[in-house]
Amino acid sequence: MRIAIVAESFLPLMNGVTHSILRVLEHLQERGDEVMVIAPSTSDTDVLDVVHGAIVHRLPSVPLAGYANVRVAVGGVYRVKRMLADYAPDVVHLASPFVLGWRAAQAAAQLGIPTVAIYQTEVPSYMARYGVPFLENWAWNRVENIHLLADRTLAPSTFALNQLRGRGIPRVDMWRRGVDTARFAPEKRDGGWRASVAPGGERIIGYVGRLAVEKQVEDLAVLADVPGTRLVIVGDGPQRAALEEAIPSAVFTGFLGGEELARAVASFDLFVHPGEFETFCQTIQEAMASGVTVVATGRGGPLDLVENSRTGWLYRPGDLADLRSRVMDLMGDDAKRRAFAAAAHASVQDRTWPALNAELVRHYREVIAASSVSAGRSTSEGAGL
């Protein structure tokens, strides 16, 4: 196939959207498909023009206020339409569309190219967290307009699927995320790394993710004084300085990637994620694959990933006393924590990226086939007239 991926964010920025795109590109390269990526430009001069065999085209962009490494593509529909017309893809993949993705959805519709839209970020719900709740309705209107235009929308969790259907969006299917069970594995646990962040032999409560408002990392302050533990926060972002001041006893490692990240996650005794706006939450899967049990908020993607009292605990959203209680329960019972961790590890072993990406290719094929039938029907009706 010939595929155009329109990425709301891409390298050098690493986040859930970029990570998923990279795994998709690897799969499509192995299949021998031709792929083009359209993404916002970057101030980094050391970015690649070809990634996993895909040619990357950059559109002019500006940094997002308060979050300089996130860039938003500027311009109108015409430029994207011209790029798609010149490339003539069989299908357009819209990765977490909102700004650039909205223009691409319109351009593809005008050109009659089928689209698969990946719903990955609950942007409207971010608005209140960022102090602009009056924009939430506008943001939902944008999301609805994008997905109404798409030939198929893929949601990563039951929560997201029901959320979109509840807003009247048709043609929604499930497409979860894979996890690299070779990279994230219990065998990566490292006593030396543990000693470097918890030299007193404390048990490690870990978090991995962006240090941004929507992740609610400040909620972890309630865990800073759990007896016999050390809170370790892996990641970077605009809130890092404020969080370091708010939780001075925590260890902040900064951004970790590759084997460094795999080693860190496997070295946790417990993984905690407080964010209420996760449509999936890939870091939970990575912790589970690493043989680490999880405590997460009972909203969004974690509802599908964490099975209460078997692979971890879900706490009531916003109830930090419940969060602390769940953590205390597992920190105080080694046998229970290890049993939960073993069950968590087993639960993700079949969620490989090759299997999930084979599903994605099936979705591509189905929208291409449906588009061809529709085009043929229109031609026949035109001939009849």
Short mmCIF file of all heavy atoms in Angstrom, two decimals, residues 291-333:
data_model
loop_
_atom_site.label_atom_id
_atom_site.label_comp_id
_atom_site.label_asym_id
_atom_site.label_seq_id
_atom_site.Cartn_x
_atom_site.Cartn_y
_atom_site.Cartn_z
N GLY A 291 6.96 -6.74 34.83
CA GLY A 291 6.70 -7.48 36.05
C GLY A 291 6.50 -6.59 37.25
O GLY A 291 6.87 -6.96 38.38
N VAL A 292 5.89 -5.43 37.02
CA VAL A 292 5.65 -4.46 38.10
C VAL A 292 4.15 -4.23 38.21
O VAL A 292 3.48 -3.96 37.19
CB VAL A 292 6.37 -3.13 37.83
CG1 VAL A 292 6.07 -2.10 38.92
CG2 VAL A 292 7.88 -3.35 37.70
N THR A 293 3.60 -4.34 39.40
CA THR A 293 2.18 -4.09 39.58
C THR A 293 1.89 -2.59 39.59
O THR A 293 2.80 -1.77 39.76
CB THR A 293 1.66 -4.75 40.87
OG1 THR A 293 0.23 -4.72 40.86
CG2 THR A 293 2.16 -4.03 42.12
N VAL A 294 0.62 -2.23 39.39
CA VAL A 294 0.23 -0.86 39.09
C VAL A 294 -0.88 -0.39 40.01
O VAL A 294 -1.81 -1.14 40.32
CB VAL A 294 -0.25 -0.76 37.61
CG1 VAL A 294 -0.78 0.64 37.30
CG2 VAL A 294 0.89 -1.13 36.66
N VAL A 295 -0.78 0.89 40.40
CA VAL A 295 -1.90 1.60 41.01
C VAL A 295 -2.19 2.79 40.10
O VAL A 295 -1.30 3.59 39.83
CB VAL A 295 -1.59 2.08 42.44
CG1 VAL A 295 -2.75 2.92 42.99
CG2 VAL A 295 -1.32 0.90 43.36
N ALA A 296 -3.43 2.89 39.61
CA ALA A 296 -3.77 3.95 38.66
C ALA A 296 -5.17 4.46 38.95
O ALA A 296 -5.97 3.80 39.63
CB ALA A 296 -3.69 3.43 37.22
N THR A 297 -5.47 5.63 38.41
CA THR A 297 -6.78 6.22 38.60
C THR A 297 -7.84 5.45 37.81
O THR A 297 -7.57 4.96 36.71
CB THR A 297 -6.77 7.71 38.19
OG1 THR A 297 -8.00 8.31 38.55
CG2 THR A 297 -6.56 7.86 36.69
N GLY A 298 -9.03 5.34 38.39
CA GLY A 298 -10.09 4.54 37.78
C GLY A 298 -10.89 5.31 36.75
O GLY A 298 -12.12 5.40 36.84
N ARG A 299 -10.24 5.83 35.74
CA ARG A 299 -10.88 6.54 34.63
C ARG A 299 -10.03 6.36 33.38
O ARG A 299 -8.80 6.32 33.45
CB ARG A 299 -11.05 8.03 34.93
CG ARG A 299 -11.78 8.80 33.82
CD ARG A 299 -11.75 10.31 34.06
NE ARG A 299 -12.56 11.04 33.08
CZ ARG A 299 -12.14 11.40 31.87
NH1 ARG A 299 -10.90 11.10 31.47
NH2 ARG A 299 -12.95 12.07 31.04
N GLY A 300 -10.69 6.29 32.23
CA GLY A 300 -9.98 6.26 30.96
C GLY A 300 -9.35 4.92 30.64
O GLY A 300 -9.85 3.86 31.02
N GLY A 301 -8.21 4.95 29.97
CA GLY A 301 -7.54 3.75 29.51
C GLY A 301 -7.18 2.75 30.59
O GLY A 301 -7.27 1.54 30.37
N PRO A 302 -6.76 3.21 31.79
CA PRO A 302 -6.41 2.24 32.84
C PRO A 302 -7.52 1.26 33.19
O PRO A 302 -7.25 0.16 33.68
CB PRO A 302 -6.05 3.14 34.03
CG PRO A 302 -5.53 4.39 33.40
CD PRO A 302 -6.39 4.58 32.18
N LEU A 303 -8.77 1.62 32.95
CA LEU A 303 -9.88 0.71 33.26
C LEU A 303 -9.76 -0.60 32.49
O LEU A 303 -10.18 -1.65 32.98
CB LEU A 303 -11.22 1.39 32.92
CG LEU A 303 -11.63 2.56 33.81
CD1 LEU A 303 -12.83 3.29 33.19
CD2 LEU A 303 -11.97 2.09 35.22
N ASP A 304 -9.21 -0.55 31.28
CA ASP A 304 -9.02 -1.77 30.48
C ASP A 304 -7.74 -2.51 30.86
O ASP A 304 -7.64 -3.72 30.65
CB ASP A 304 -8.93 -1.42 28.99
CG ASP A 304 -10.29 -1.14 28.37
OD1 ASP A 304 -11.29 -1.22 29.08
OD2 ASP A 304 -10.32 -0.81 27.16
N LEU A 305 -6.75 -1.79 31.38
CA LEU A 305 -5.43 -2.37 31.58
C LEU A 305 -5.24 -3.01 32.94
O LEU A 305 -4.54 -4.01 33.07
CB LEU A 305 -4.36 -1.29 31.37
CG LEU A 305 -4.29 -0.67 29.97
CD1 LEU A 305 -3.29 0.48 29.95
CD2 LEU A 305 -3.92 -1.71 28.93
N VAL A 306 -5.83 -2.40 33.97
CA VAL A 306 -5.61 -2.86 35.35
C VAL A 306 -6.85 -3.58 35.86
O VAL A 306 -7.94 -3.01 35.88
CB VAL A 306 -5.27 -1.67 36.27
CG1 VAL A 306 -5.04 -2.16 37.70
CG2 VAL A 306 -4.05 -0.91 35.76
N GLU A 307 -6.68 -4.83 36.23
CA GLU A 307 -7.79 -5.60 36.81
C GLU A 307 -7.68 -5.55 38.33
O GLU A 307 -6.72 -6.08 38.91
CB GLU A 307 -7.74 -7.05 36.32
CG GLU A 307 -8.93 -7.86 36.78
CD GLU A 307 -8.91 -9.28 36.26
OE1 GLU A 307 -8.16 -9.57 35.31
OE2 GLU A 307 -9.65 -10.12 36.83
N ASN A 308 -8.65 -4.90 38.95
CA ASN A 308 -8.62 -4.71 40.40
C ASN A 308 -8.43 -6.01 41.15
O ASN A 308 -9.08 -7.02 40.85
CB ASN A 308 -9.93 -4.05 40.85
CG ASN A 308 -9.73 -2.61 41.28
OD1 ASN A 308 -8.62 -2.19 41.62
ND2 ASN A 308 -10.80 -1.85 41.27
N SER A 309 -7.52 -5.98 42.12
CA SER A 309 -7.27 -7.09 43.02
C SER A 309 -6.68 -8.31 42.32
O SER A 309 -6.65 -9.40 42.87
CB SER A 309 -8.55 -7.52 43.77
OG SER A 309 -8.24 -8.34 44.86
N ARG A 310 -6.16 -8.11 41.08
CA ARG A 310 -5.46 -9.20 40.40
C ARG A 310 -4.15 -8.72 39.79
O ARG A 310 -3.11 -9.33 40.03
CB ARG A 310 -6.34 -9.83 39.31
CG ARG A 310 -5.83 -11.19 38.86
CD ARG A 310 -6.71 -11.82 37.80
NE ARG A 310 -6.41 -11.31 36.47
CZ ARG A 310 -5.44 -11.79 35.68
NH1 ARG A 310 -4.67 -12.77 36.10
NH2 ARG A 310 -5.25 -11.29 34.48
N THR A 311 -4.19 -7.64 39.01
CA THR A 311 -2.95 -7.10 38.43
C THR A 311 -2.57 -5.77 39.05
O THR A 311 -1.52 -5.21 38.71
CB THR A 311 -3.09 -6.93 36.90
OG1 THR A 311 -4.12 -5.96 36.63
CG2 THR A 311 -3.46 -8.23 36.22
N GLY A 312 -3.42 -5.22 39.90
CA GLY A 312 -3.13 -3.94 40.53
C GLY A 312 -4.38 -3.37 41.17
O GLY A 312 -5.36 -4.10 41.39
N TRP A 313 -4.33 -2.08 41.45
CA TRP A 313 -5.49 -1.39 42.03
C TRP A 313 -5.84 -0.16 41.22
O TRP A 313 -4.95 0.57 40.74
CB TRP A 313 -5.19 -0.94 43.47
CG TRP A 313 -5.15 -1.98 44.53
CD1 TRP A 313 -4.09 -2.30 45.33
CD2 TRP A 313 -6.22 -2.85 44.94
NE1 TRP A 313 -4.42 -3.31 46.20
CE2 TRP A 313 -5.72 -3.66 45.98
CE3 TRP A 313 -7.54 -3.02 44.52
CZ2 TRP A 313 -6.49 -4.63 46.63
CZ3 TRP A 313 -8.30 -3.99 45.16
CH2 TRP A 313 -7.79 -4.77 46.19
N LEU A 314 -7.14 0.08 41.09
CA LEU A 314 -7.66 1.34 40.55
C LEU A 314 -8.25 2.11 41.71
O LEU A 314 -9.05 1.58 42.48
CB LEU A 314 -8.73 1.07 39.49
CG LEU A 314 -8.27 0.37 38.21
CD1 LEU A 314 -9.47 -0.09 37.38
CD2 LEU A 314 -7.37 1.29 37.38
N TYR A 315 -7.85 3.38 41.85
CA TYR A 315 -8.42 4.19 42.93
C TYR A 315 -9.42 5.18 42.38
O TYR A 315 -9.43 5.50 41.18
CB TYR A 315 -7.32 4.89 43.73
CG TYR A 315 -6.57 5.99 43.00
CD1 TYR A 315 -6.97 7.32 43.08
CD2 TYR A 315 -5.43 5.70 42.24
CE1 TYR A 315 -6.28 8.32 42.43
CE2 TYR A 315 -4.73 6.70 41.58
CZ TYR A 315 -5.16 8.01 41.69
OH TYR A 315 -4.47 9.01 41.03
N ARG A 316 -10.29 5.66 43.25
CA ARG A 316 -11.34 6.60 42.84
C ARG A 316 -10.71 7.88 42.34
O ARG A 316 -9.89 8.50 43.05
CB ARG A 316 -12.29 6.88 44.01
CG ARG A 316 -13.16 5.70 44.41
CD ARG A 316 -14.12 6.06 45.53
NE ARG A 316 -13.42 6.37 46.77
CZ ARG A 316 -13.04 5.45 47.67
NH1 ARG A 316 -13.30 4.16 47.47
NH2 ARG A 316 -12.40 5.82 48.78
N PRO A 317 -11.07 8.34 41.12
CA PRO A 317 -10.48 9.56 40.57
C PRO A 317 -10.59 10.73 41.54
O PRO A 317 -11.67 11.01 42.08
CB PRO A 317 -11.30 9.82 39.30
CG PRO A 317 -11.76 8.46 38.89
CD PRO A 317 -12.03 7.72 40.17
N GLY A 318 -9.47 11.38 41.78
CA GLY A 318 -9.44 12.55 42.65
C GLY A 318 -9.34 12.23 44.13
O GLY A 318 -9.13 13.15 44.94
N ASP A 319 -9.48 10.99 44.53
CA ASP A 319 -9.46 10.60 45.94
C ASP A 319 -8.04 10.20 46.32
O ASP A 319 -7.65 9.03 46.22
CB ASP A 319 -10.44 9.45 46.18
CG ASP A 319 -10.62 9.12 47.65
OD1 ASP A 319 -9.74 9.51 48.45
OD2 ASP A 319 -11.62 8.46 48.00
N LEU A 320 -7.25 11.17 46.78
CA LEU A 320 -5.85 10.91 47.06
C LEU A 320 -5.65 10.07 48.31
O LEU A 320 -4.64 9.38 48.44
CB LEU A 320 -5.08 12.24 47.16
CG LEU A 320 -5.13 13.12 45.90
CD1 LEU A 320 -4.19 14.30 46.03
CD2 LEU A 320 -4.80 12.31 44.65
N ALA A 321 -6.63 10.10 49.21
CA ALA A 321 -6.56 9.20 50.37
C ALA A 321 -6.69 7.75 49.91
O ALA A 321 -6.02 6.85 50.44
CB ALA A 321 -7.66 9.55 51.37
N ASP A 322 -7.54 7.52 48.92
CA ASP A 322 -7.69 6.17 48.36
C ASP A 322 -6.42 5.75 47.64
O ASP A 322 -5.98 4.60 47.75
CB ASP A 322 -8.90 6.14 47.42
CG ASP A 322 -9.30 4.72 47.01
OD1 ASP A 322 -9.07 3.79 47.81
OD2 ASP A 322 -9.84 4.56 45.91
N LEU A 323 -5.80 6.68 46.90
CA LEU A 323 -4.52 6.40 46.24
C LEU A 323 -3.49 5.95 47.27
O LEU A 323 -2.84 4.91 47.10
CB LEU A 323 -4.03 7.64 45.50
CG LEU A 323 -2.55 7.67 45.08
CD1 LEU A 323 -2.22 6.51 44.15
CD2 LEU A 323 -2.20 9.01 44.43
N ARG A 324 -3.35 6.73 48.33
CA ARG A 324 -2.35 6.39 49.36
C ARG A 324 -2.67 5.04 50.01
O ARG A 324 -1.77 4.22 50.23
CB ARG A 324 -2.31 7.50 50.41
CG ARG A 324 -1.24 7.26 51.48
CD ARG A 324 -1.25 8.37 52.52
NE ARG A 324 -0.38 8.04 53.63
CZ ARG A 324 0.91 8.33 53.72
NH1 ARG A 324 1.49 8.98 52.72
NH2 ARG A 324 1.63 8.00 54.78
N SER A 325 -3.95 4.79 50.27
CA SER A 325 -4.36 3.53 50.89
C SER A 325 -3.99 2.33 50.01
O SER A 325 -3.51 1.30 50.50
CB SER A 325 -5.86 3.55 51.16
OG SER A 325 -6.32 2.31 51.61
N ARG A 326 -4.23 2.45 48.70
CA ARG A 326 -3.91 1.35 47.77
C ARG A 326 -2.40 1.10 47.72
O ARG A 326 -1.95 -0.05 47.67
CB ARG A 326 -4.42 1.68 46.37
CG ARG A 326 -5.93 1.90 46.27
CD ARG A 326 -6.72 0.66 46.60
NE ARG A 326 -8.14 0.86 46.40
CZ ARG A 326 -9.07 -0.07 46.59
NH1 ARG A 326 -8.71 -1.29 46.99
NH2 ARG A 326 -10.35 0.20 46.40
N VAL A 327 -1.63 2.17 47.73
CA VAL A 327 -0.18 2.03 47.71
C VAL A 327 0.31 1.40 49.02
O VAL A 327 1.15 0.49 49.01
CB VAL A 327 0.49 3.40 47.47
CG1 VAL A 327 2.00 3.32 47.71
CG2 VAL A 327 0.22 3.88 46.03
N MET A 328 -0.23 1.87 50.14
CA MET A 328 0.17 1.31 51.44
C MET A 328 -0.16 -0.18 51.51
O MET A 328 0.62 -0.97 52.05
CB MET A 328 -0.56 2.06 52.56
CG MET A 328 -0.16 3.51 52.72
SD MET A 328 1.38 3.73 53.63
CE MET A 328 0.83 3.38 55.30
N ASP A 329 -1.29 -0.56 50.94
CA ASP A 329 -1.69 -1.96 50.93
C ASP A 329 -0.63 -2.83 50.26
O ASP A 329 -0.24 -3.88 50.78
CB ASP A 329 -3.04 -2.11 50.21
CG ASP A 329 -3.41 -3.57 49.99
OD1 ASP A 329 -3.70 -4.26 50.97
OD2 ASP A 329 -3.41 -4.00 48.82
N LEU A 330 -0.14 -2.39 49.11
CA LEU A 330 0.82 -3.19 48.36
C LEU A 330 2.24 -3.08 48.90
O LEU A 330 3.00 -4.04 48.87
CB LEU A 330 0.78 -2.80 46.88
CG LEU A 330 -0.50 -3.21 46.16
CD1 LEU A 330 -0.59 -2.57 44.79
CD2 LEU A 330 -0.59 -4.73 46.04
N MET A 331 2.58 -1.91 49.43
CA MET A 331 3.91 -1.75 50.01
C MET A 331 4.05 -2.54 51.31
O MET A 331 5.15 -2.92 51.71
CB MET A 331 4.20 -0.27 50.26
CG MET A 331 4.44 0.54 49.00
SD MET A 331 6.00 0.14 48.15
CE MET A 331 5.45 -1.00 46.91
N GLY A 332 2.93 -2.80 51.95
CA GLY A 332 2.97 -3.51 53.21
C GLY A 332 2.77 -5.01 53.09
O GLY A 332 2.73 -5.72 54.11
N ASP A 333 2.64 -5.51 51.87
CA ASP A 333 2.37 -6.94 51.68
C ASP A 333 3.16 -7.44 50.48
O ASP A 333 2.69 -7.41 49.34
CB ASP A 333 0.86 -7.15 51.49
CG ASP A 333 0.45 -8.62 51.52
OD1 ASP A 333 1.29 -9.47 51.20
OD2 ASP A 333 -0.73 -8.89 51.83
#
